[in-house]
Amino acid sequence: MINRFSRDVMSVDVNLPFTLNILLATFFSLLASIVMTAYGIPYVTIIMVPLMVLYYFMQKYYLRAVREVKRLYSTSQSPLYTHFEESVNGLVYIHAFRVYTSVQNIGTRYLEAFQRSCYCLYSANAWLELRLELLATGVVLIAAVVILTEVHYHAIDAALLGLALTYSLTINSTLKEMIFSLIEVEKEMIGAERILQYTHDIPVEVEPEDVQYVDYSWPFRGNIRFCDVSVRYKDCTSLALSNISFDVKSGEKVAIVGRTGAGKSTILLSLFRLVELESGIS
C-alpha cells in the first residue's frame, strides 16, 4: 500500500506527463524526417509504406510481450526492496535468533526472481534493437541507391538529395526513441492501473441499516457495552471473538489480560470498527 501511494502516485503525476512529452516530441521529429526524405527522394515513399507496416506489426508484437515483462519487473522489485529494508531494520533480531541462513535464502530467492525479469526485459530490448537497426540500414541503403540512380540518370540538385539522405539517417534513432518512449508510457500506466485497482476493487465497510446521530455533547458518559459480539478477520477463518459480553461503566479502569492470540487487540479493533462484527452489538 505504501508503494502504491508513493511510487505509483509519483509515476502518474510526474513520470507519465514527462514521458508523454518525449513521446510526442519524437513522433513529430520522426514525421519531419520522413517528410523531408520523401520530399528529396520521392521514390523512397514506395518503400516507406511497407516498411511502416512492418514497423507497426513489429512494435505491436514487442509491446504485447514487454508489457507483461514490465509488470513482472515491477512486481518482483518490491519484495526485494522490502526484504532488504526489513533485514536492515531487524538486523539485531537476526543476530539474536541466528536466522542468517533463512534470511539469506529468502533474499536470494527474491533476487533471482528479479534478475529473471531483468534478463527477459533486456533480451526483449536487444531483440527489438537488432531488428530496428536492420530495417533502418535497409532504409538508408535504399535511399542511397535511389540517390545514385537519380544523380546518374537525371539532373537533380545534389544539395536536396544530400538533405534527404541526412534526414534518412536520423530515422533509425528517432524511431527507436519513439518506440522506447511508447514502452515507457505503457510502463508508467501500470502505476495508474494499480491505483485504479485500489479505487474500484477494494471492499468498503458495511453501512449500518439504522444510523443513529449523537448529540453534540457526546460523550457525556463514557459507557462501553459489548453484547454477544463475535468477530472474524476473514470468511474462511475461525472466530477471533466468540459471544463476548461485558459492560464498562463511566470512570472505571479496566485491564484486559490474556495470552497471545486471546483477542485483546481484536476487542479494541472491533470497538473502533477497524474490523466488522460477525454478530452482536458494541
Side-chain angles (χ1 to χ4, degrees):
M1 183 180 293
I2 295 176
N3 193 19
R4 300 196 187 206
F5 283 103
S6 58
R7 177 180 173 276
D8 291 335
V9 171
M10 185 188 72
S11 174
V12 173
D13 292 342
V14 179
N15 298 340
L16 186 58
F18 179 74
T19 309
L20 283 174
N21 186 20
I22 296 177
L23 177 62
L24 291 175
T26 53
F27 171 75
F28 286 109
S29 178
L30 176 64
L31 184 62
S33 299
I34 294 175
V35 170
M36 292 301 298
T37 304
Y39 176 74
I41 315 172
Y43 294 108
V44 176
T45 55
I46 302 174
I47 309 298
M48 283 290 185
V49 175
L51 283 178
M52 289 298 107
V53 175
L54 186 59
Y55 270 122
Y56 170 76
F57 284 106
M58 185 184 300
Q59 65 87 23
K60 185 178 180 181
Y61 178 79
Y62 171 77
L63 284 177
R64 187 167 61 247
V66 83
R67 188 184 300 117
E68 301 301 326
V69 175
K70 283 285 188 180
R71 187 172 285 109
L72 289 175
Y73 179 87
S74 299
T75 54
S76 62
Q77 188 179 32
S78 294
L80 178 62
Y81 289 166
T82 302
H83 176 73
F84 180 76
E85 182 180 1
E86 291 175 351
S87 300
V88 172
N89 294 333
L91 196 59
V92 176
Y93 305 100
I94 294 174
H95 285 301
F97 291 98
R98 300 182 182 275
V99 288
Y100 315 109
T101 305
S102 60
V103 173
Q104 183 179 4
N105 291 337
I106 294 173
T108 303
R109 188 168 65 249
Y110 288 150
L111 181 61
E112 288 178 352
F114 178 66
Q115 286 179 336
R116 282 196 295 267
S117 62
C118 288
Y119 178 77
C120 293
L121 182 62
Y122 294 151
S123 299
N125 291 339
W127 180 91
L128 179 65
E129 287 186 7
L130 176 62
R131 280 150 182 80
L132 289 179
E133 290 287 346
L134 292 175
L135 288 178
T137 304
V139 171
V140 175
L141 178 62
I142 293 171
V145 171
V146 172
I147 287 175
L148 291 176
T149 305
E150 290 288 338
V151 171
H152 183 74
Y153 292 102
H154 304 88
I156 299 179
D157 188 8
L160 183 60
L161 293 177
L163 178 65
L165 182 61
T166 302
Y167 273 97
S168 67
L169 293 173
T170 63
I171 291 177
N172 177 34
S173 59
T174 308
L175 184 61
K176 188 187 301 182
E177 290 178 5
M178 190 189 74
I179 291 180
F180 281 113
S181 298
L182 184 60
I183 295 166
E184 288 298 320
V185 172
E186 290 272 353
K187 185 187 75 171
E188 301 301 338
M189 288 301 295
I190 295 177
E193 176 185 341
R194 287 158 60 90
I195 294 174
L196 287 176
Q197 182 183 0
Y198 258 56
T199 57
H200 295 289
D201 300 335
I202 300 299
V204 297
E205 296 84 357
V206 179
E207 293 293 336
E209 296 180 358
D210 51 341
V211 179
Q212 298 179 359
Y213 296 96
V214 297
D215 190 74
Y216 288 106
S217 60
W218 184 88
F220 182 72
R221 291 189 306 173
N223 296 335
I224 299 176
R225 182 186 180 190
F226 272 54
C227 182
D228 295 330
V229 172
S230 298
V231 176
R232 72 173 77 235
Y233 287 99
K234 293 182 180 180
D235 295 336
C236 59
T237 59
S238 59
L239 290 173
L241 296 178
S242 178
N243 298 326
I244 300 296
S245 299
F246 62 86
D247 289 327
V248 179
K249 303 300 182 182
S250 176
E252 290 183 345
K253 296 181 179 179
V254 178
I256 303 175
V257 182
R259 62 178 179 81
T260 302
K264 303 182 296 297
S265 301
T266 308
I267 293 176
L268 293 178
L269 293 177
S270 59
L271 178 63
F272 291 104
R273 204 189 171 193
L274 297 179
V275 293
E276 294 295 333
L277 303 184
E278 181 80 9
S279 61
I281 300 174
S282 64

